[in-house]
Amino acid sequence: MQPDGPYRFTEVMGVCQVGRAWWAVDGQDRLMTVAVLEPVVAEDPAWRRAFSGMADALAAPGGGGGPYLAADFTAAAPWVAYAADGGPGADRLFLALGHEIHSEEAGEDSTVAMLQVPPQQSQPAPWAVQGDPTQVSAPPQPVSTPPVSTPPQPVSAQPVSAPPQQFSAPPYPVSTPPHQVSGPPVSPAYPHPTSVPPYDPLASTARRIQPSEPRRRRTGLWLGIVALVLVVLAAAGGVAVWAGSDDGEGSPPPYTLEERAVAVASPSLVYVEVVFTGYLRDKRTGAPLRAAPITFNRRCSGFVVSPAGHVLTNGFCVRPTGDTPRQNALYALGRVLIQEKKLEPGKLDDYVAQQLKTTVLTGVDAAKEPEVRLFGQVNVAKGNVTDAPAIPGEIVRTWEPQAGNVALVKLAQDNLPVAELNPAADLKEGTTLLSIGYGTTDKDPLTATFTVQSKRVTVTGSGTSGTMPVSRVNDDVGLYSRGGLAVDTNGRVVGILDNDEELPTKANRIVVPASTLDAMLTEAGVTDELGDTDKLYRSGLDDYFAGRYSDAITRLEAVAAKSPANLVAQTYRQNAVDRQKIGAGD
């Protein structure tokens, strides 16, 4: 069965116990080799990491391999494609992982023989990882693998198939065979899997394929737009892709599936800030602890789900329950007392704990609730802003934590970029997602600047939050990402981020599934649907990533005019202008 991918797979080049190497051609009939990891092997997160990590290690300068043209490490059967005339390719990747490819027949025989272990001598499959998979830096090596200092053993089976000859212009002479499996020996420049440290593809935000430097452009507002779109480039350490262009305008840009997914989804992200104003009163007498009202803010992320300005966010953020509002108010009062030298900083926690026993939080009228005002900001946000560009909003409904902990709010502005839900998403263990939310490195949230952050994460398991099923992921993008997006590599929303109460840090590593979000929208009579501008934006991105720059410029310019809040559209429009000029040679 041929693997999934953007190529026409023509013939199996060779097989090993963990995958296959294929001959394939792209849309421009360029010959390439593609390394495909078997789906059953890819179910092991450690092997999936080793496969992607080794591909990146070999592609790095001095890594002993060559750059790859495209890859998808999130597919059920991950793959990496190499130019057939570009040096070491698919066979080298498998060899670096400790598996030498053979002809298809010999490979199948040896795999069957290895798996047919008598019951009394049963062993884990060669790709099985013992212990904690997160601690595995590389897949285990079969006993027969030669030491690092010795070259791989020659293949005793028939040679790996030569490239198919039906192509009119192969990238090398017909008489010249491609690189053989028994090529260069293992060396420090060609690392052995057991010596590869745990690999973090997002540790560096640098692109693996550097495009030509665009000509200088105007500063001012444009710098703010570029700062915003850095969220897109921050995810660029993932699956490198080079799309085919069908209009002859020029080379399409190198990009990653993560970059495109974040470009699709991030314009819908909203910084949500809720301002509470009330009085702390003595529980027994009703007397206020302070003559002036107490104000405190709560912050989180959200995302637009309808052209009318409906936003999904975290329920506990916008409408906290129990002692949380009073505790927030007491901490706000305590900090004021510290500034007034009436409370020692080291005694703040004790002060709050003591006052929790004797106070209540009310509105200006002791019989009413505190005043609650909600505001949303898009793109780069500032803390404690209640005037423009902050957009006022109101809470439509919330669900308790045990019912999903989500809220629906309505901002007083329409035509904001909309995110697309994927209620049917199956978040199996090992699935790769992107977490997107607001974050800041500033210490004081009242004066902080909040920017869009993204991170590639992996589903580590499932559980429940109250009565609702949820998924857990292995990382988060910070304190204020609660209520943010969890998206697939197509940029569709598969869930909303929430904090994990079972973790000491309460990190935002819970994903409440999109099916729960869809149920809330249905209850509220709101339809998640893309507006015409949203569809035009996605078409413009398709044009840009395919190298159709004239079409991309036209569509993204129209998007920027119709939806000024979508600064990412403005950025990619300018990128298309720059790349078109580079391609035109001026």
Side-chain angles (χ1 to χ4, degrees):
M1 179 178 178
Q2 293 200 6
D4 292 329
Y7 308 110
R8 178 161 54 89
F9 293 87
T10 58
E11 183 178 337
V12 175
M13 176 183 175
V15 301
C16 66
Q17 293 163 350
V18 297
R20 294 171 179 247
W22 287 79
W23 292 107
V25 290
D26 64 8
Q28 300 176 16
D29 285 336
R30 293 176 298 186
L31 184 62
M32 60 186 60
T33 64
V34 184
V36 181
L37 194 66
E38 290 291 343
V40 65
V41 181
E43 289 178 1
D44 187 330
W47 255 107
R48 188 180 285 269
R49 290 195 301 270
F51 185 72
S52 61
M54 184 60 73
D56 291 331
L58 292 176
Y68 52 83
L69 296 180
D72 188 349
F73 298 126
T74 66
W79 54 266
V80 184
Y82 298 87
D85 60 343
D91 55 347
R92 178 66 65 88
L93 175 56
F94 283 123
L95 184 59
L97 291 168
H99 292 272
E100 191 168 342
I101 66 169
H102 304 263
S103 68
E104 188 169 16
E105 294 81 3
E108 290 175 348
D109 292 343
S110 62
T111 301
V112 171
M114 189 166 188
L115 295 179
Q116 290 177 340
V117 181
Q120 66 271 23
Q121 300 175 2
S122 61
Q123 301 175 12
W127 54 81
V129 177
Q130 305 301 309
D132 183 0
T134 63
Q135 301 301 316
V136 178
S137 60
Q141 299 302 304
V143 176
S144 60
T145 301
V148 175
S149 59
T150 62
Q153 299 302 311
V155 180
S156 58
Q158 66 185 57
V160 175
S161 69
Q165 300 302 317
Q166 62 267 32
F167 308 110
S168 58
Y172 48 80
V174 174
S175 60
T176 303
H179 295 278
Q180 297 299 315
V181 175
S182 57
V186 178
S187 68
Y190 177 33
H192 193 279
T194 57
S195 67
V196 177
Y199 180 75
D200 181 3
L202 293 181
S204 171
T205 59
R207 287 184 182 269
R208 297 193 186 95
I209 306 173
Q210 294 294 339
S212 301
E213 183 178 356
R215 58 172 58 185
R216 298 179 61 184
R217 57 183 74 144
R218 63 186 183 275
T219 55
L221 173 62
W222 182 250
L223 291 177
I225 299 175
V226 172
L228 169 71
V229 86
L230 285 178
V231 61
V232 176
L233 300 183
V239 183
V241 176
W242 201 307
S245 174
D246 58 7
D247 64 358
E249 275 199 55
S251 298
Y255 69 96
T256 66
L257 296 180
E258 285 91 346
E259 177 183 341
R260 188 186 183 284
V262 177
V264 169
S266 63
S268 69
L269 194 70
V270 177
Y271 170 76
V272 177
E273 188 160 15
V274 189
V275 183
F276 295 78
T277 304
Y279 282 85
L280 284 164
R281 301 177 185 273
D282 182 274
K283 186 183 299 184
R284 183 176 56 85
T285 66
L289 271 62
R290 193 176 181 86
I294 303 297
T295 298
F296 64 92
N297 298 28
R298 292 177 63 84
R299 305 162 187 86
C300 53
S301 301
F303 51 94
V304 183
V305 290
S306 83
H310 290 96
V311 172
L312 285 171
T313 185
N314 180 266
F316 194 70
C317 171
V318 301
R319 187 170 284 167
T321 58
D323 291 337
T324 299
R326 187 155 42 99
Q327 186 181 58
N328 291 161
L330 284 168
Y331 270 108
L333 175 58
R335 293 186 186 98
V336 172
L337 296 176
I338 290 172
Q339 292 177 352
E340 296 175 348
K341 309 298 184 183
K342 296 178 181 179
L343 180 67
E344 296 180 17
K347 295 184 178 180
L348 177 59
D349 291 340
D350 291 340
Y351 171 79
V352 172
Q354 183 63 36
Q355 293 294 335
L356 273 173
K357 303 174 184 177
T358 60
T359 58
V360 292
L361 180 64
T362 73
V364 175
D365 186 328
K368 295 185 178 180
E369 295 293 320
E371 178 190 39
V372 178
R373 295 182 298 157
L374 184 144
F375 302 90
Q377 297 181 55
V378 296
N379 304 314
V380 178
K382 293 286 292 185
N384 201 33
V385 174
T386 57
D387 298 323
I391 308 167
E394 60 181 7
I395 301 172
V396 177
R397 66 185 61 215
T398 59
W399 282 358
E400 297 295 323
Q402 63 269 21
N405 201 22
V406 291
L408 180 67
V409 304
K410 172 70 168 60
L411 298 182
Q413 182 172 324
D414 56 12
N415 201 31
L416 294 171
V418 173
E420 181 182 9
L421 296 184
N422 181 15
D426 183 11
L427 302 184
K428 297 184 296 185
E429 184 174 351
T431 301
T432 297
L433 305 175
L434 288 160
S435 292
I436 309 174
Y438 274 94
T440 184
T441 57
D442 298 332
K443 293 183 178 180
D444 185 358
L446 289 176
T447 59
T449 298
F450 296 85
T451 57
V452 180
Q453 310 287 327
S454 70
K455 183 175 289 186
R456 188 168 68 172
V457 298
T458 302
V459 177
T460 58
S462 59
T464 57
S465 179
T467 60
M468 299 302 298
V470 297
S471 297
R472 286 184 165 85
V473 294
N474 65 335
D475 207 346
D476 78 332
V477 287
L479 175 64
Y480 304 105
S481 64
R482 180 172 56 173
L485 296 148
V487 303
D488 58 25
T489 52
N490 290 314
R492 295 176 301 175
V493 180
V494 299
I496 191 170
L497 303 177
D498 197 1
N499 59 338
D500 191 341
E501 293 291 339
E502 296 185 8
L503 294 176
T505 60
K506 306 291 192 266
N508 297 320
R509 289 165 52 173
I510 288 289
V511 176
V512 179
S515 56
T516 299
L517 309 180
D518 190 55
M520 167 167 271
L521 295 181
T522 300
E523 180 182 281
V526 175
T527 302
D528 171 55
E529 59 181 353
L530 299 178
D532 291 340
T533 305
D534 301 305
K535 297 174 183 176
L536 186 63
Y537 174 59
R538 284 157 175 77
S539 296
L541 288 180
D542 289 342
D543 291 332
Y544 173 78
F545 287 119
R548 299 186 293 267
Y549 298 125
S550 293
D551 292 340
I553 292 168
T554 300
R555 289 190 170 99
L556 295 177
E557 193 171 64
V559 171
K562 295 177 180 179
S563 181
N566 191 343
L567 296 188
V568 180
Q570 298 182 38
T571 297
Y572 275 100
R573 177 204 167 275
Q574 186 62 43
N575 288 349
V577 170
D578 291 339
R579 295 195 66 86
Q580 188 180 55
K581 290 178 179 178
I582 294 169
D586 56 33

